[in-house]
Amino acid sequence: FTIEFWMNSPTSATAAVIYDNRLYTSNNTGCFQFYHQSGTLYVYGGPTTNILLCSASITYNQWNHIAFVRSGSSSGNCKLYINGVLASGVYYGYGDARLGGAGIRLMRRWDGDNYWHGELAIVRMYDKALSPIAVTENFYANRKRFNL
């Protein structure tokens, strides 16, 4: 699968969830989320616990194109792209964004707390893993709109 979006985070933004999807509404079991804190974007997921899948630095007060791609089920199959470029970091083979159950929440955590105060645009979800070329093409297709 692939999840991609454009985000702009002000320097005053506190640590918060940008995308949250989970099986249940009462705990961290079965979750998948994008979390932003201190200039770093984290991707967490897992069916029984919240595991760090990957992370990368982002630029404050600037639009950033984010794409998370998972292909297959083996270790090392998760990739995080920032502005069309594969981000540096460690990639683990875990996590599923199609959990359902409690539904998807944008710019806040599942329990209503922890709001993210940035800007979010062009959120897309695919049921397939986009190729690196497709991720780059999506970045270039909209970068002028976001002054990049």
Side-chain angles (χ1 to χ4, degrees):
F1 66 87
T2 302
I3 298 174
E4 70 175 351
F5 55 88
W6 287 84
M7 65 176 285
N8 184 359
S9 186
T11 54
S12 60
T14 58
V17 172
I18 299 167
Y19 171 100
D20 187 276
N21 186 9
R22 59 189 64 235
L23 285 172
Y24 310 104
T25 58
S26 60
N27 58 34
N28 277 341
T29 302
C31 73
F32 182 86
Q33 66 181 206
F34 289 88
Y35 183 84
H36 176 246
Q37 180 177 13
S38 302
T40 301
L41 180 67
Y42 300 93
V43 183
Y44 288 98
T48 57
T49 59
N50 213 2
I51 299 169
L52 177 65
L53 303 178
C54 51
S55 64
S57 296
I58 59 165
T59 305
Y60 282 118
N61 296 312
Q62 171 187 304
W63 283 98
N64 293 275
H65 177 255
I66 310 299
F68 177 83
V69 179
R70 179 177 183 223
S71 60
S73 59
S74 62
S75 181
N77 63 358
C78 298
K79 295 183 173 78
L80 181 64
Y81 295 84
I82 309 291
N83 296 329
V85 177
L86 183 62
S88 60
V90 179
Y91 307 99
Y92 299 92
Y94 215 51
D96 193 344
R98 302 164 293 170
L99 296 170
I104 295 171
R105 287 163 183 83
L106 299 176
M107 301 176 71
R108 73 178 183 97
R109 202 168 80 171
W110 62 277
D111 58 3
D113 193 9
N114 202 253
Y115 286 90
W116 181 63
H117 297 285
E119 297 173 286
L120 194 62
I122 313 178
V123 178
R124 293 183 180 135
M125 296 176 218
Y126 303 87
D127 63 356
K128 63 181 181 178
L130 292 183
S131 69
I133 292 171
V135 170
T136 302
E137 287 174 348
N138 287 352
F139 166 69
Y140 280 104
N142 289 291
R143 70 186 182 114
K144 288 185 180 178
R145 174 180 174 181
F146 297 104
N147 297 317
L148 290 177

